[in-house]
Amino acid sequence: MKKLGSIALVLCATLTASAQGKFEVKEFVSFKLHSYITADPLGDMSYIIEGNKSVVVLEPAAFHDNIKELSEYLGKLNKPVEKVIANYHAAGFSAFDHSKFVMVEGMPQFVKGDVYSGMMANFATTFGNKMDISQFTPSVTVGKDAKENWAGVEFKFSPGASSDFPAASILIGGKVYYTHFTPVANVHMSALQISSLEAVDAQLAGLEHAKASGANTFIGGHGGATASAEAVNFQIEYLKKVKETRLQIRTGDEFVLVMQMTYPDIASEENLTAVATNLYKK
């Protein structure tokens, strides 16, 4: 994306939010996962990990309407916010006590660099005062292989896909695995995920790591609330086919045709043209 990434209980509830987003709640033995589908222009996701006495926010909302909505929802949980992990999405700093914010090593420097700063400047031009684009250096920075216990839940960090921001994948409570993009089955992956042939290898490595984590629920900053292991398996096989096709086929147009023939019934076929442009750029 540098081009501007115990046994779960079956209880799962969906709550419609008052403004534009939606919350989905999935309950595990020792914590609850609240997924906030913001419906904002960037397709961002935010999460609340609710322990017995406090909560952790993962990826704070960026748009002021969503900030208000998320804050109101947190108020109803009636538990203090212990930490706010600004992982891939370094935004929404106006909503929380700055001492609560956490970033992974490398990200505080990255958000001040040309790539991220340029992206945020573009957002400022596009969205104006609808979006919180304030920058803040967190008081807590964790290592890329850190293990922390917040709200009574273990957060195990590992480096995210090497083609993406210097952020982290996170195994939460041993059961929920967070990556930049929620794995989605039966959909052509986007050009943001497949930005180059090298990115294919990086995404594959990240998905293999997710598969081996022991998690049974997979979430991300974009792409939907939760996914199962089947979605991870689909994307692994899909990326293997992308790589195989790219190495065998000489042109982007032919690549698109082969992928259409291989996957004739899956969604977002329009993604293939942009992916081909990335894979065959000179």
Side-chain angles (χ1 to χ4, degrees):
M1 194 167 174
K2 290 185 178 181
K3 56 181 288 189
L4 155 157
S6 68
I7 302 174
L9 300 177
V10 295
L11 175 62
C12 184
T14 300
L15 304 176
T16 302
S18 58
Q20 59 176 345
K22 181 176 69 174
F23 290 88
E24 295 183 357
V25 185
K26 189 167 186 177
E27 188 167 335
F28 295 82
V29 170
S30 58
F31 66 96
K32 292 180 182 178
L33 174 70
H34 303 253
S35 302
Y36 178 30
I37 306 166
T38 67
D40 73 16
L42 302 179
D44 285 350
M45 296 286 303
S46 297
Y47 298 92
I48 302 165
I49 295 86
E50 180 187 358
N52 289 331
K53 297 181 179 179
S54 61
V55 303
V56 173
V57 175
L58 172 60
E59 306 294 28
F63 287 81
H64 289 292
D65 284 349
N66 297 113
I67 290 171
K68 180 175 182 291
E69 190 166 71
L70 181 60
S71 296
E72 290 173 348
Y73 188 87
L74 282 166
K76 293 175 183 177
L77 296 180
N78 199 30
K79 293 179 181 179
V81 175
E82 185 169 338
K83 295 293 180 184
V84 181
I85 305 172
N87 192 23
Y88 285 95
H89 300 167
F93 294 120
S94 64
F96 300 97
D97 179 346
H98 288 179
S99 68
K100 305 294 185 183
F101 274 94
V102 176
M103 276 188 182
V104 176
E105 61 181 352
M107 274 300 287
Q109 296 76 24
F110 183 75
V111 298
K112 296 178 181 178
D114 292 342
V115 173
Y116 205 96
S117 294
M119 182 177 68
M120 296 305 287
N122 182 61
F123 289 160
T125 300
T126 303
F127 304 117
N129 59 10
K130 294 181 179 179
M131 187 177 186
D132 178 4
I133 58 169
S134 59
Q135 289 198 3
F136 172 72
T137 301
S139 57
V140 178
T141 303
V142 300
K144 292 182 180 179
D145 294 299
K147 187 184 294 183
E148 302 285 349
N149 191 295
W150 296 317
V153 181
E154 182 181 83
F155 292 77
K156 187 176 181 181
F157 294 79
S158 60
S162 60
S163 60
D164 221 318
F165 299 168
S169 297
I170 309 172
L171 179 62
I172 303 167
K175 295 301 175 185
V176 177
Y177 195 91
Y178 174 86
T179 56
H180 194 180
F181 295 88
T182 303
V184 181
N186 301 317
V187 174
H188 288 286
M189 295 174 71
S190 78
L192 292 176
Q193 296 166 279
I194 307 176
S195 58
S196 65
L197 189 57
E198 293 75 18
V200 173
D201 287 333
Q203 294 289 341
L204 267 172
L207 287 164
E208 293 284 8
H209 192 274
K211 183 178 179 179
S213 69
N216 53 29
T217 300
F218 300 85
I219 60 176
H222 309 275
T226 60
S228 66
E230 285 74 16
V232 176
N233 290 333
F234 171 84
Q235 288 201 337
I236 288 171
E237 293 308 312
Y238 182 88
L239 286 171
K240 287 179 179 179
K241 184 61 181 179
V242 166
K243 183 175 181 178
E244 173 190 295
T245 304
R246 171 60 183 87
L247 295 176
Q248 293 178 352
I249 300 299
R250 294 185 177 183
T251 71
D253 288 343
E254 291 176 294
F255 171 88
V256 170
L257 288 173
V258 170
M259 293 298 292
Q260 286 173 333
M261 292 172 61
T262 305
Y263 299 98
D265 301 316
I266 70 174
S268 300
E269 191 174 277
E270 67 277 4
N271 287 344
L272 286 171
T273 300
V275 167
T277 298
N278 287 343
L279 293 177
Y280 289 85
K281 60 190 173 186
K282 296 179 181 179

